[in-house]
Amino acid sequence: MEMGKPFNMVRNMNYLDKPWLKNYPPDIPKEVDIPEVPITQLIDESVKRNSNKVAIVFYGKKISYEKLGNYIEKMASVLHDLGIKKSSVVALYLPTCPQFIISYYAIQKLGAVPTAVSFLFSPREVRAQLEDSGAETVIMIDLLYNKTKPIIEELGIKKVVLTDLLYFMPSYKRKLSIILRKIPKAKIPKDEAVYYLENLIKRDAMTYPTININPKEDIASLFYTSGTTGLPKGVPLTHYNIVACLEQVKASSGDAFSESKYLLSYLPFFHIYGQSVILTGGLSMGQTLIVILRPDFDELLRYIEKYRISLLFGVPAFYRILIERMRRGRYDLSSLKVCACGSDYAPQHLKDEWKKLTGVDISEGYGLTEACPATGTPIGGKDKAGSVGFPLQNTLVAAAHPEKDEFVKVGDLGELIVSGPQVMKGYWKNEKHPNAFARIAGENWLRTGDIGFMDEDGYFYMVERKKDVIKYKGYSIFPGEVEEVIKEHQHVSEVAVVGVQANEVEFGQIVKAFIVLKEKYRDTASKDNIISFCKDRLAAYKVPREIEFIDELPKNALGKVIRKELREG
C-alpha cells in the first residue's frame, strides 16, 4: 500500500524510536507520571481543596464542591442500600445535568460500573445497550419512563430511579419552564414501583462499605461505540485508563488548565469527550462547569463572554456554527487561549477562518473511545496541515498491515495502531471481538480501523476509514445497523447504506440508502414512507437523509456489496 511518491528519507526510521519526540515543545514533558488511583480519589481530593468554590452552574443554580461532595456521598449510600455493589452495572439515561454528575461518581464510589446511554437513542437502541451491558438498575429522567418501561420490564431490570430535569434549576426557571411548557411534566402513576432521586438525596447519608478499587483492573465506565467493525460494542475503560487520559491532556495543554477557571460543559456526558475530558477532567482540576442541557449557540457565545472562557473544547460542527453566529453578531472572545477539537476531522479552511475571527488556533487531536486521546499537537507545537498531530506522552502509534501483525514501512499507508496507558484492555464480552489487537515488538496494539501513515517528522495522517463508518457531527454511524432496520420494511429486497458529504463540510457525512425494491412494490413504494419507518427505529442522526431506488446493488465476485461504487456513483 504505497502512498504514491515514497518517503525515501524515512525508510530507515522506526516507529519504536519515537521520532516525534524531537518536535515536542520545550515546555511540554515527553513523558508523564500516571498515578494508580481511582477516579473517585481525584474527585474527593478536589472537593476538599475547593470546598467553597462553585463546582457546577446549571442555568443560574450554583452547586459548590462541598455540596456536590455531599450529594455524591448521599447517593452512594442510597445506591448501596438499593443493592448496588462492586461490579454492578448501572445505566445512566440522563442528559447533561447535575443528576448525571452526582449519580456517576456515586456509582463509582461503590466500585460499580456506570454505562451512559445516549440521549439520542431510539427505544430499540436503548434496549440493546441495557441488555448487552447487563444493567441491574437504571437512573433516568422521568419524561422517558413510560416510553422505556416495556424494555425495562422485558429485561427484568428491578430498580429504576427517576429524576425531574427541572429539580436543580433555580425556582423561577422551574416555574417559567412549566408555565411556558418548555419542559413537559411527566405523568407517572403514584403507585408506580420506582424511586425518585430527589427524595433519595434528601435522606441522611447512611454508611456504605469502603470498596477496594484496583485502578488498572476495575472498570470506571462502560462506553458503547460503533467501534471499527460496524457492530455496537461495549468499551470498558479502567480507572487507570481515564486517569492516564487526563494526565496526557493536562500535560499537552501547557498551563491552559491551571489558568482556566470555567469550562463550558455542553458536550454530551454519554460521549467520552464530554464524560472523561470535560466532566472528570474539569472537576478533578477544580474548574467550575457551566452545565448546559442542549446548546444554544448564541447563548454559548454569551457564556464565553460572561465567564471569560479561556479553554474551549468542541467538534468541527460546533466551531462552524459558532463562526456563522459570530458573522451575524459582535462577541468578545478575547479571553480564549486554547481551542481544542476532536471527534472528527476539522478541514483546514475551518481552522483558518476560526483563527481569523478569534486569533486562536484550533488544536486538533485524534482518538477514539477505545484510546482517547492518541495523538494531538501539544500547545506550542508546530501544526501541519492535514495532520492529526503526533503521539501524546507515554503513547506509541504506528501504521501496520491491516491483516498481519507487522509494521508497514514509515511513510507507507497502513492501519493506525495505538499502544499506551489510555488504551482499553479489551472489549466488553471480549470473546466476540478476537482481532481487536495486534501483537508487534512485544507490545499489544489496538487496531483502530483507520488507514493512515507517519511522515518523516513523526506526524500522523488519517487518510480513510477502514470499515466505512459514517461520521456526522462527530457521531459514528455504522451502515450495518441502518441496513438491518431498512431490511425490516416490507417493500425492501436489498439495501446498502453509505455516507455522502453533507452540504456543510464540517458536519461530515449524511446517511444515504440505496434500495432494491421487491418486484411487486416497485410502482407503489415511497421514499418518505421508508424514512418515516426509520425514524421510529433509529436515533435521528442515523436516519437516511437521502434514498435512491436502484435495480441492483454493485457486488464483487463473492457477492459482497461494493460500497465505493455507490459513494462515487
Side-chain angles (χ1 to χ4, degrees):
M1 290 192 299
E2 291 290 321
M3 255 288 303
K5 183 179 180 180
F7 289 98
N8 293 321
M9 69 184 78
V10 300
R11 289 307 188 197
N12 295 322
M13 291 177 64
N14 190 315
Y15 300 105
L16 300 177
D17 292 335
K18 302 182 180 180
W20 50 82
L21 291 181
K22 67 179 182 289
N23 294 304
Y24 265 60
D27 57 342
I28 299 295
K30 295 179 172 62
E31 296 286 318
V32 293
D33 292 326
I34 302 166
E36 292 186 32
V37 298
I39 289 171
T40 47
Q41 181 175 323
L42 299 182
I43 300 302
D44 286 345
E45 291 172 352
S46 186
V47 166
K48 291 176 182 177
R49 285 196 312 269
N50 305 289
S51 60
N52 295 323
K53 187 176 178 180
V54 176
I56 299 167
V57 178
F58 187 59
Y59 296 93
K61 174 75 172 183
K62 296 179 180 179
I63 302 173
S64 70
Y65 270 88
E66 182 178 28
K67 190 70 172 176
L68 176 61
N70 289 338
Y71 280 137
I72 292 169
E73 287 297 318
K74 285 187 176 184
M75 193 66 185
S77 64
V78 163
L79 291 176
H80 174 260
D81 193 45
L82 294 180
I84 302 302
K85 55 187 182 298
K86 187 171 182 179
S87 300
S88 296
V89 177
V90 181
L92 295 176
Y93 194 18
L94 296 166
T96 309
C97 61
Q99 292 94 318
F100 184 106
I101 299 171
I102 293 164
S103 301
Y104 179 75
Y105 296 116
I107 294 164
Q108 290 179 338
K109 283 264 186 182
L110 301 175
V113 180
T115 184
V117 181
S118 170
F119 208 58
L120 302 174
F121 274 3
S122 68
R124 171 181 168 275
E125 294 161 312
V126 172
R127 185 194 186 286
Q129 182 168 338
L130 294 180
E131 182 176 30
D132 188 73
S133 67
E136 302 172 16
T137 301
V138 179
I139 303 174
M140 62 186 297
I141 64 167
D142 51 11
L143 290 170
L144 292 178
Y145 176 67
N146 289 329
K147 190 176 183 179
T148 314
K149 182 180 176 181
I151 297 169
I152 291 171
E153 291 179 341
E154 181 185 351
L155 295 178
I157 296 172
K158 303 299 183 185
K159 303 286 174 60
V160 178
V161 179
L162 303 182
T163 185
D164 182 351
L165 202 51
L166 299 175
Y167 180 72
F168 280 103
M169 286 188 181
S171 58
Y172 74 93
K173 289 204 173 184
R174 290 204 300 267
K175 292 176 182 177
L176 194 61
S177 294
I178 293 170
I179 292 170
L180 298 178
R181 296 184 179 179
K182 287 187 175 182
I183 299 178
K185 193 70 177 174
K187 297 179 180 179
I188 298 171
K190 290 183 178 180
D191 60 349
E192 195 73 10
V194 295
Y195 301 90
Y196 290 90
L197 183 145
E198 293 77 13
N199 295 332
L200 296 177
I201 60 175
K202 288 177 183 176
R203 293 164 52 175
D204 292 334
M206 300 170 287
T207 58
Y208 62 90
T210 300
I211 305 299
N212 182 33
I213 294 175
N214 182 337
K216 286 191 172 182
E217 297 296 330
D218 292 338
I219 300 170
S221 188
L222 178 58
F223 295 88
Y224 272 77
T225 176
S226 59
T228 59
T229 63
L231 295 173
K233 47 185 173 276
V235 178
L237 295 184
T238 65
H239 289 263
Y240 187 73
N241 289 149
I242 295 175
V243 171
C245 162
L246 300 182
E247 291 298 325
Q248 291 165 323
V249 170
K250 185 167 61 173
S252 300
S253 301
D255 56 7
F257 270 104
S258 60
E259 292 187 353
S260 172
K261 294 181 179 179
Y262 299 93
L263 283 182
L264 289 184
S265 184
Y266 71 94
L267 291 170
F269 288 154
F270 61 74
H271 194 283
I272 190 167
Y273 202 178
Q275 186 182 127
S276 296
V277 177
I278 296 179
L279 176 56
T280 297
L283 290 179
S284 67
M285 295 177 208
Q287 305 284 303
T288 295
L289 302 187
I290 313 302
V291 177
I292 301 163
L293 273 173
R294 59 175 76 90
D296 175 291
F297 291 94
D298 289 310
E299 185 178 40
L300 288 179
L301 287 166
R302 289 193 294 270
Y303 280 148
I304 294 173
E305 281 188 320
K306 178 179 178 179
Y307 293 103
R308 305 299 295 161
I309 299 292
S310 61
L311 178 58
L312 185 64
F313 293 96
V315 297
F318 164 80
Y319 286 107
R320 173 182 169 78
I321 294 170
L322 288 191
I323 288 171
E324 292 174 350
R325 297 294 198 280
M326 289 160 65
R327 287 177 182 151
R328 300 202 298 259
R330 298 182 63 181
Y331 299 94
D332 178 9
L333 305 187
S334 60
S335 61
L336 290 175
K337 298 268 184 9
V338 177
C339 297
C341 184
S343 188
D344 203 356
Y345 170 70
Q348 190 61 42
H349 71 83
L350 175 73
K351 297 180 181 179
D352 294 341
E353 194 165 3
W354 179 260
K355 185 169 185 178
K356 182 179 178 181
L357 288 169
T358 66
V360 183
D361 287 311
I362 288 178
S363 299
E364 186 176 8
Y366 167 74
L368 55 164
T369 305
E370 296 90 332
C372 177
T375 72
T377 304
I379 302 305
K382 176 185 174 184
D383 192 20
K384 279 193 174 186
S387 168
V388 292
F390 41 78
L392 299 183
Q393 294 89 348
N394 306 50
T395 303
L396 289 169
V397 182
H401 192 290
E403 297 172 358
K404 299 177 183 178
D405 285 4
E406 60 186 44
F407 295 135
V408 298
K409 292 179 181 179
V410 173
D412 284 357
L413 286 175
E415 181 178 4
L416 297 182
I417 57 175
V418 184
S419 178
Q422 75 277 40
V423 177
M424 68 168 190
K425 297 180 66 174
Y427 286 109
W428 184 252
K429 299 182 179 178
N430 200 37
E431 66 279 359
K432 294 182 180 180
H433 314 287
N435 301 314
F437 290 85
R439 182 73 179 174
I440 307 175
E443 300 282 348
N444 285 328
W445 303 75
L446 174 74
R447 289 189 174 275
T448 69
D450 293 325
I451 301 299
F453 67 94
M454 185 182 82
D455 72 9
E456 68 276 13
D457 293 318
Y459 283 77
F460 281 82
Y461 300 77
M462 189 181 76
V463 177
E464 64 178 328
R465 297 190 180 277
K466 179 182 173 185
K467 292 292 184 179
D468 300 309
V469 176
I470 300 166
K471 296 288 281 190
Y472 177 68
K473 291 187 178 180
Y475 294 111
S476 294
I477 306 167
F478 41 93
E481 182 189 17
V482 182
E483 289 167 356
E484 287 302 313
V485 169
I486 295 175
K487 285 176 185 176
E488 294 173 6
H489 195 286
Q490 62 176 345
H491 295 172
V492 174
S493 174
E494 290 184 289
V495 59
V497 165
V498 300
V500 296
Q501 185 62 57
N503 291 331
E504 302 85 353
V505 175
E506 294 75 25
F507 285 7
Q509 300 171 306
I510 59 173
V511 177
K512 180 172 182 178
F514 291 86
I515 295 174
V516 177
L517 296 168
K518 294 177 181 176
E519 187 69 36
K520 63 180 178 180
Y521 295 115
R522 293 198 172 184
D523 295 328
T524 57
S526 160
K527 296 178 183 178
D528 289 341
N529 177 265
I530 294 173
I531 290 174
S532 178
F533 180 85
C534 291
K535 285 180 178 178
D536 291 335
R537 293 161 175 81
L538 291 168
Y541 66 91
K542 299 179 183 178
V543 174
R545 302 297 180 90
E546 295 181 11
I547 286 180
E548 183 174 337
F549 293 146
I550 57 178
D551 293 330
E552 61 180 4
L553 297 175
K555 298 177 182 177
N556 62 19
L558 298 176
K560 185 175 181 180
V561 174
I562 307 172
R563 296 183 193 275
K564 184 177 180 181
E565 289 189 15
L566 294 173
R567 279 195 298 266
E568 298 175 353

